[in-house]
């Protein structure tokens, strides 16, 4: 079984501030982890993913995430928020046994001018 | 190449009517998913197809919901006797699946917005 918990359904930051969106997962086998973004009135698109290898992964638009096995976490960060980062962000996990991904409930990011 | 396409983009139907939603996955993607996204909420998993394996129907909310997939191609999601609570955006996604059946990232279609009046 696998599950994803995103802490904080809404996060608000000021433009230029650090963005931190939290994701914790549970998985009975080594996971594959993903962050997806959904901009207003648009479809979901992949932001970044971790499968194997380097635990710090970089994605589009300056976002990155670090896989921490000991903490079962895959938090998403960006050093400096832009107004265009306002969107909903979903964390997801899949593994070799399940064959399908499980999504978190999503975090809505608001960026204040 | 072409992405995941869904039709119709919008559907308004009367309560009690049946509706059929269509998804065309990316060519070569053996895995296909259906999700429901109610207004302001997250993704609700409905059903998962992978190749010739039996589909994972664990997310279907009631027996009014069913889905089929033709080989590794088109999928249709059917909702019978629609209710107002079925109003939502229905998203389809497809992905590659490798040896050991682990899934790569999902590619999402634009969704079908269903409104039941």
């Amino acid at each position: 079984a696998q599950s994803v918990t995103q802490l904080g359904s809404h996060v608000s930051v000021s433009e230029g501030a650090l963005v931190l969106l939290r994701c914790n997962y549970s998985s009975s086998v080594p996971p594959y982890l993903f962050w997806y973004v959904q901009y207003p009135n648009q479809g979901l698109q992949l932001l970044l993913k971790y499968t194997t290898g380097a635990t710090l992964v970089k994605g589009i638009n300056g976002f990155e995430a670090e896989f921490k096995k000991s903490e079962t976490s895959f938090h998403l960060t960006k050093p400096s928020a832009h107004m265009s980062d306002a969107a909903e962000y979903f964390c997801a996990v899949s593994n070799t046994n399940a064959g399908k991904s499980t999504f978190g409930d999503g975090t809505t990011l608001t960026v204040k001018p | 190449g072409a992405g995941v396409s869904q039709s119709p983009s919008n559907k308004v139907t009367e309560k009690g009517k049946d509706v059929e939603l269509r998804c065309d996955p990316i060519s070569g993607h053996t895995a296909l998913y259906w999700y429901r996204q109610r207004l302001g909420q997250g993704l609700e998993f409905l059903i998962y197809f992978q190749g010739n394996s039996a589909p994972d129907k664990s997310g279907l909310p009631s027996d009014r919901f069913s889905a089929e997939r033709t080989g590794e191609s088109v999928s249709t999601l059917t909702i019978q006797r629609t209710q107002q609570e079925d109003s939502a955006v229905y998203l389809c996604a497809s992905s590659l699946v490798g040896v050991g059946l682990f899934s790569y990232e999902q590619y999402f279609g634009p969704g079908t917005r269903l409104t039941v009046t």
Side-chain angles (χ1 to χ4, degrees):
Chain A
Q2 57 191 17
S3 66
V4 175
T5 301
Q6 290 184 239
L7 298 174
S9 58
H10 291 84
V11 170
S12 180
V13 301
S14 297
E15 193 172 19
L18 171 71
V19 176
L20 171 60
L21 305 183
R22 299 177 186 275
C23 173
N24 288 87
Y25 70 91
S26 69
S27 176
S28 56
V29 298
Y32 298 100
L33 296 158
F34 310 85
W35 276 98
Y36 292 84
V37 60
Q38 186 175 32
Y39 296 105
N41 300 314
Q42 294 187 30
L44 277 88
Q45 59 181 290
L46 182 73
L47 198 55
L48 50 78
K49 66 177 179 180
Y50 167 80
T51 53
T52 58
T55 56
L56 180 65
V57 293
K58 296 184 185 298
I60 60 173
N61 300 335
F63 283 92
E64 61 183 35
E66 186 171 11
F67 168 57
K68 292 187 176 181
K69 183 178 177 181
S70 61
E71 298 177 8
T72 60
S73 70
F74 191 58
H75 301 332
L76 181 70
T77 61
K78 181 174 180 178
S80 177
H82 293 170
M83 297 296 291
S84 60
D85 295 327
E88 185 149 22
Y89 293 80
F90 294 92
C91 182
V93 61
S94 68
N95 62 52
T96 57
N97 292 343
K100 68 176 176 72
S101 293
T102 300
F103 280 77
D105 289 337
T107 297
T108 301
L109 175 66
T110 301
V111 182
K112 299 176 292 185
Chain B
V4 177
S5 61
Q6 292 185 245
S7 61
S9 55
N10 282 283
K11 176 72 175 178
V12 180
T13 189
E14 293 180 351
K15 177 181 173 181
K17 301 285 189 183
D18 297 352
V19 296
E20 191 172 276
L21 313 180
R22 177 187 170 104
C23 172
D24 280 276
I26 293 172
S27 177
H29 282 194
T30 57
L32 187 147
Y33 308 73
W34 282 100
Y35 298 93
R36 178 168 69 180
Q37 187 175 29
R38 290 194 167 112
L39 185 63
Q41 298 188 20
L43 295 175
E44 179 183 0
F45 166 76
L46 297 177
I47 189 168
Y48 166 66
F49 295 91
Q50 163 45 27
N52 295 320
S53 301
D56 177 350
K57 303 179 181 180
S58 60
L60 294 177
S62 77
D63 59 6
R64 296 188 295 105
F65 288 73
S66 63
E68 293 183 348
R69 188 179 185 190
T70 307
E72 295 183 350
S73 183
V74 172
S75 175
T76 56
L77 176 69
T78 301
I79 308 173
Q80 296 177 311
R81 305 181 302 281
T82 52
Q83 304 295 313
Q84 288 186 330
E85 62 262 28
D86 298 335
S87 295
V89 175
Y90 289 82
L91 293 168
C92 175
S94 70
S95 71
L96 287 167
V97 176
V99 175
L101 289 181
F102 67 87
S103 293
Y104 290 96
E105 62 266 29
Q106 295 180 40
Y107 293 79
F108 283 82
T112 294
R113 184 176 299 278
L114 175 66
T115 303
V116 181
T117 61

